Amino acid sequence: MKMNREYESRVELVNRLKSEGVVKTPEVERCLLEVPRHEFVWPSMRRLAYEDTPLPLGESGQTISAVHMVAIMNELLELGPGLRVLEAGTGSGYHAATVAEAVSPLSLPEERWGHVFSLEIVHELAEFARRNLERTGYTSRVSVIERDGSLGYVEAAPYDRILVTAGAPGIPPPLIEQLSVGGKIVIPLGGERFFQELVVGVKTDSGELRTSGMGGVAFVPLRGKYGW
């Protein structure tokens, strides 16, 4: 691959996250290197695309997550080819693209691909994400649906993995219902104002979740019926 300034910045950032122990597996590293974050930030924020920080998405009140948080969530999800993934909170489409790289790698034939179903409640952001994903070649691997993410998307359930990219007061019941037995959900839970705990849940044979807390995080609040 010919090195350009954006790619060099991406390599530098991912290498730093590796040295800090945030990026643990070669697959998460590969996916972060493949996705051009500068194509997913708000246009006025492009110069900051490879700063490891959340960035505002226009006047929506939403953000594109910091790269370290995307890495942490993807490591916890244990993604792999062929998995069906639900994302609540598309934002700019960046996180969905990194997940698509893992579940639908171009190195495999399409019949072995998984798929990402990403839900966005804000019309402007749903349109923004669709444009970003189309421009960067992910539309065959990611579907953006404009709706309340806390309700999930029963039309394509069940899902092997679910990720929620906004803080919720509790795990929305529809998401538990739509998760496969043995499937995994990663979600920030806690206060409305940017202070939560990142929680991993695994669905047992009984249909309940076995959960573990993974430490404090800061996300925008989840909107919708089971949000704030």
Side-chain angles (χ1 to χ4, degrees):
M1 178 184 293
K2 182 180 179 181
M3 296 285 276
N4 55 37
R5 185 176 62 185
E6 288 86 0
Y7 186 71
E8 289 173 351
S9 297
R10 192 151 71 250
V11 170
E12 181 180 346
L13 173 56
V14 173
N15 284 342
R16 186 165 71 248
L17 293 176
K18 283 178 62 180
S19 70
E20 294 170 356
V22 175
V23 172
K24 303 177 186 298
T25 59
E27 184 64 2
V28 169
E29 176 185 2
R30 182 189 68 78
C31 295
L32 292 177
L33 289 174
E34 288 287 347
V35 182
R37 191 175 188 246
H38 60 278
E39 296 286 357
F40 290 88
V41 299
W42 206 253
S44 61
M45 296 286 108
R46 191 176 176 114
R47 72 190 186 284
L48 301 175
Y50 295 105
E51 297 293 323
D52 185 24
T53 185
L55 296 171
L57 295 172
E59 303 300 321
S60 67
Q62 307 300 304
T63 62
I64 179 174
S65 292
V67 178
H68 77 269
M69 187 53 59
V70 173
I72 288 169
M73 295 180 80
N74 287 5
E75 292 281 8
L76 291 172
L77 285 165
E78 296 182 306
L79 300 165
L83 295 180
R84 293 170 65 81
V85 181
L86 179 71
E87 178 187 45
T90 312
S92 71
Y94 172 69
H95 201 154
T98 68
V99 173
E101 285 289 347
V103 304
S104 309
L106 294 179
S107 59
L108 294 180
E110 286 191 35
E111 58 267 23
R112 294 180 59 188
W113 286 2
H115 198 79
V116 182
F117 298 87
S118 187
L119 312 179
E120 177 55 58
I121 198 170
V122 180
H123 172 73
E124 179 185 26
L125 291 184
E127 291 299 311
F128 181 60
R130 287 189 186 107
R131 292 195 300 271
N132 295 338
L133 292 162
E134 181 175 6
R135 185 175 62 253
T136 52
Y138 289 96
T139 51
S140 61
R141 297 181 277 171
V142 180
S143 298
V144 177
I145 300 103
E146 186 178 333
R147 67 174 301 166
D148 178 351
S150 75
L151 298 176
Y153 186 60
V154 70
E155 292 88 338
Y159 302 99
D160 303 298
R161 301 288 188 271
I162 297 177
L163 68 149
V164 181
T165 59
I171 301 177
L175 301 188
I176 299 174
E177 293 168 8
Q178 293 170 33
L179 185 64
S180 297
V181 171
K184 182 178 285 190
I185 183 170
V186 176
I187 180 173
L189 297 179
E192 179 180 2
R193 293 299 167 195
F194 302 99
F195 296 100
Q196 304 98 18
E197 181 174 32
L198 193 63
V199 171
V200 178
V202 177
K203 192 169 182 178
T204 67
D205 291 339
S206 66
E208 298 182 348
L209 284 182
R210 184 177 68 249
T211 60
S212 304
M214 307 305 296
V217 291
F219 280 82
V220 298
L222 180 68
R223 294 173 53 183
K225 180 175 181 180
Y226 293 99
W228 294 100

